[in-house]
């Protein structure tokens, strides 16, 4: 096909092309708008894990109160210290201790501001209702209260942030920005390699070269993200070597799986990277916690590289006692399967001495007086 064959030759042809482009753009916009609003416009909490330290005599009433509408999923702890350890392992987002005269709330701001705010609001609301009931009972009895009792009723309920967000990230938005940067950068890199690599003959050498490039890019991408974090005081106290490894694995999971899709199905496989960026970042758990997403978003989000990456990074930054093996397994599967597809698709065609589609296109151009030659890697 010559360059002249790709040119629009009439106004009617231009109009048809313009209408198709506009309709396609409108449909994509409609789909994304519906998706974004469906996932986040009315984030409703469900089964938010919380802890409870309570005498056995009070447990049934408190469990009924917390689990009545399916908002919370309660785990019983024997002591405040045990519950604090559960918060540090990110088993629960927080919890309440009702063994003392005044209930005490524990939260983890670094686990997600939405969950911390939900716990605070629920806790203060219940305490306010209890105080109002006590005052109403005293008023009905025409009883007087002491200054100490009045101060106790007016005093704000005690709240302890076990794992607070750092002062430089008070809104907890850094994880979302980092995920978007990794997803977009990895997608661009995969698409670029997808256009570059087919200009050479399929072989083990090309497969290994492609794979090596993906690994080098992942390491470079992780180093850039880690360096840029230091500009804003994010992750200052984290283990930088571990953080470097997690960022590199996230980047490789995105780039290798996208490159594998391109190698398997052609240029259309690059859409997988677009899915990670446009779909995956919204349900990754960075800005909207998994427990605040619809079931579909929660399940899919946790099993995409973006979601697994967010959880692994959050644990490494703020919850070093939390288990991250499950998240690393998800990332490793995406990276490993993608790398394997890159190698296999370069090996199989070479057994019959075939070359890539782009090489055949170059051959046609040569026959049409195009003097460009494909580069061969031996």
């Amino acid at each position: 096909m010559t360059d002249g064959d790709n040119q629009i030759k009439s106004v009617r042809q231009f109009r048809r092309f313009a209408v198709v482009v506009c309709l396609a753009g409108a449909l994509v916009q409609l789909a994304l708008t519906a998706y974004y609003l469906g996932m986040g416009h009315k984030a409703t909490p469900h089964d938010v894990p919380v802890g409870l330290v309570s005498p056995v005599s009070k447990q049934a009433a408190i469990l009924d109160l917390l689990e009545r509408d399916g908002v919370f999923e309660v785990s019983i702890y024997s002591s405040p210290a045990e519950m604090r350890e559960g918060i540090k392992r990110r088993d629960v987002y927080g919890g309440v201790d009702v063994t003392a005269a005044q209930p005490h709330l524990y939260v983890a701001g670094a686990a997600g501001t939405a969950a911390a705010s939900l716990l605070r609001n629920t806790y203060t609301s219940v305490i306010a209702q209890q105080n109002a009931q006590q005052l109403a009972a005293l008023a009905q009895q025409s009883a007087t209260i002491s200054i100490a009792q009045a101060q106790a009723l007016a005093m704000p309920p005690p709240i302890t942030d076990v794992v607070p967000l750092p002062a430089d990230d008070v809104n907890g938005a850094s994880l979302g920005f980092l995920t978007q940067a990794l997803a977009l950068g990895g997608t661009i890199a995969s698409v670029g390699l997808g256009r570059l690599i087919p200009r050479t003959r399929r072989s083990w050498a090309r497969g290994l070269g492609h794979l090596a490039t993906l690994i080098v890019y992942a390491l470079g991408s992780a180093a850039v993200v880690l360096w840029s974090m230091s500009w804003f005081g994010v992750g200052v106290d984290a283990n930088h070597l571990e953080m470097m490894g997690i960022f590199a694995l996230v980047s490789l999971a995105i780039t290798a799986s996208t490159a594998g899709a391109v190698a398997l199905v052609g240029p259309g496989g690059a859409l997988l990277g677009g899915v990670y960026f446009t779909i995956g970042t919204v349900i990754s758990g960075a800005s909207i916690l998994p427990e605040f997403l619809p079931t579909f978003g929660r399940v899919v989000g946790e099993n995409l590289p973006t979601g697994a990456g967010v959880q692994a990074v959050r644990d490494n930054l703020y919850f070093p006692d939390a288990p991250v093996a499950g998240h690393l397994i998800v990332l490793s599967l995406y990276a490993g399967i993608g790398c394997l597809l890159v190698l296999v698709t370069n090996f199989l065609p070479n057994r019959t001495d075939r070359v890539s589609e782009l090489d055949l296109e170059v051959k046609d151009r040569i026959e049409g007086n195009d003097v460009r030659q494909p580069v061969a890697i031996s």
Side-chain angles (χ1 to χ4, degrees):
M1 181 180 292
T2 64
D3 293 339
D5 294 331
N6 293 323
Q7 293 182 353
I8 296 176
K9 300 178 179 179
S10 68
V11 174
R12 184 177 182 182
Q13 188 178 9
F14 172 81
R15 288 175 178 172
R16 288 180 178 176
F17 181 77
V19 168
V20 170
V21 170
C22 291
L23 286 176
L27 289 174
V28 170
Q29 182 176 331
L30 176 62
L32 289 178
T33 301
Y35 171 74
Y36 292 147
L37 293 178
M39 290 295 114
H41 87 290
K42 190 179 180 181
T44 303
H46 49 88
D47 298 330
V48 177
V50 296
L52 173 65
V53 180
S54 168
V56 176
S57 59
K58 295 182 179 180
Q59 284 182 10
I62 297 175
L63 288 173
D64 179 68
L65 175 65
L66 293 177
E67 296 183 337
R68 182 179 303 162
D69 299 321
V71 175
F72 297 106
E73 181 178 322
V74 182
S75 297
I76 304 296
Y77 291 93
S78 60
S79 67
E82 184 184 4
M83 186 168 65
R84 289 170 68 100
E85 289 302 314
I87 294 173
K88 291 179 180 179
R89 291 193 305 270
R90 211 153 70 89
D91 296 333
V92 292
Y93 284 114
V96 64
D97 172 22
V98 298
T99 56
Q102 175 72 292
H104 194 125
L105 178 67
Y106 298 89
V107 298
T113 55
S117 298
L118 174 66
L119 286 170
R120 285 192 178 96
N121 293 338
T122 302
Y123 174 64
T124 54
S125 175
V126 171
I127 296 298
Q129 290 176 7
Q130 291 179 349
N131 291 342
Q133 290 172 358
Q134 291 182 25
L135 288 172
L138 290 172
Q140 289 178 356
Q141 298 171 3
S142 299
T144 59
I145 61 174
S146 65
I147 294 176
Q149 287 177 312
Q151 287 177 339
L153 291 173
M155 184 180 299
I159 300 175
T160 299
D161 197 338
V162 179
V163 189
L165 283 166
D168 292 327
D169 188 23
V170 292
N171 295 319
S174 298
L175 282 177
F177 297 144
L178 294 175
T179 305
Q180 287 182 333
L182 285 169
L184 181 59
T187 300
I188 294 174
S190 297
V191 172
L193 286 173
R195 294 181 64 85
L196 173 64
I197 298 300
R199 294 179 181 273
T200 59
R201 220 174 259 277
R202 291 178 186 246
S203 65
W204 271 112
R206 190 179 84 168
L208 292 174
H210 195 171
L211 183 58
T213 305
L214 291 172
I215 295 173
V216 170
Y217 172 81
L219 293 172
S221 173
V224 167
V225 171
L226 195 61
W227 181 41
S228 63
M229 286 170 56
S230 65
W231 303 348
F232 305 97
V234 178
V236 175
D237 299 327
N239 185 314
H240 287 183
L241 185 61
E242 292 180 359
M243 188 59 59
M244 175 78 175
I246 292 174
F247 280 141
L249 185 57
V250 173
S251 180
L252 185 61
I254 293 172
T255 55
S257 58
T258 304
V262 171
L264 190 65
V265 303
L271 291 175
L272 182 61
V275 168
Y276 293 153
F277 180 71
T278 59
I279 305 298
T281 54
V282 177
I283 56 178
S284 65
S287 56
I288 306 175
L289 293 175
E291 291 80 10
F292 287 71
L293 289 168
T295 303
F296 166 81
R298 178 177 182 174
V299 173
V300 175
E302 291 177 340
N303 290 285
L304 289 177
T306 45
V310 162
Q311 303 308 321
V313 171
R314 176 178 274 130
D315 287 346
N316 189 268
L317 279 176
Y318 308 125
F319 299 89
D321 295 333
V324 297
H327 309 312
L328 297 183
I329 289 174
V330 172
L331 293 171
S332 299
L333 286 174
Y334 276 92
I337 293 174
C339 291
L340 184 62
L341 285 174
V342 168
L343 289 176
V344 169
T345 53
N346 277 282
F347 170 67
L348 293 178
N350 196 53
R351 297 178 61 184
T352 56
D353 199 30
R354 286 189 291 155
V355 295
S356 68
E357 293 179 2
L358 188 57
D359 289 331
L360 298 178
E361 182 181 350
V362 171
K363 180 181 178 181
D364 293 337
R365 289 180 177 178
I366 291 175
E367 293 176 352
N369 298 323
D370 190 331
V371 297
R372 290 177 291 178
Q373 296 283 348
V375 179
I377 295 179
S378 58

